[in-house]
Amino acid sequence: MPTLPDLIAATHSPEAATAFAACTLSPAGRAALAETGIALMERFPPVPRACCAMSAVYAVALRSAVEAPAYLIAGTLYADTVRVFGTARSFPETHMPFLRTDLDWDGHMWVAIGEYIADISLLPTGRSPGAAAALSALVARAFGPGDRLVIGKAADLQRIGLAYVPDYALTPEEVDALARGAEADLPQRG
């Protein structure tokens, strides 16, 4: 199974993967990660299951807000060992699959910066009617009612029951295309 640096090397460059693996986010960077996510959540009302759109907008906003590169990652999400997004099959081996309009994919997207995962869509989705029971239970157990987004080290999130399994690191072109679509399609607060 490829690692996150392997996936970044495949769609960006070996140098980008090396920089990602060596990245440490400063306290100011972690604060900017949270502030940027909250600002987006104030601009866009919660839309359950909008991980592609919201995560792309988040990744683009982080380009100017955080000193470290933010990568948009597609993969599988487990809540308490139950797969809630993604399939058992491997990710399509297509060049830049997220530029296609016919992609049959049911996974999850999040932002990765060094050892941190930032997930802007998980809590609204986990609190929505029709959410997977395992995800709803984990969100209710591990997050307070005032929590709005998930930010944490991958190992810490795994300890509370969230396992993010990366399959693909989106290219800048894919991120920009998804973000443009989100800006046009997502409802925004007036």
Side-chain angles (χ1 to χ4, degrees), residues 4-22:
L4 196 45
D6 293 336
L7 297 171
I8 291 168
T11 57
H12 291 76
S13 71
E15 296 79 19
T18 300
F20 172 82

Side-chain angles (χ1 to χ4, degrees), residues 40-41 43-55 85 108 119-129 148 182 185-189:
L40 285 173
M41 296 181 97
R43 186 172 149 212
F44 296 98
V47 177
R49 291 170 280 289
C51 71
C52 294
M54 285 301 296
S55 296
F85 293 109
H108 188 62
D119 193 334
I120 196 166
S121 69
L122 184 74
L123 297 182
T125 297
R127 292 175 176 141
S128 69
R148 296 179 64 194
D185 296 337
L186 285 175
Q188 296 189 39
R189 292 189 167 113

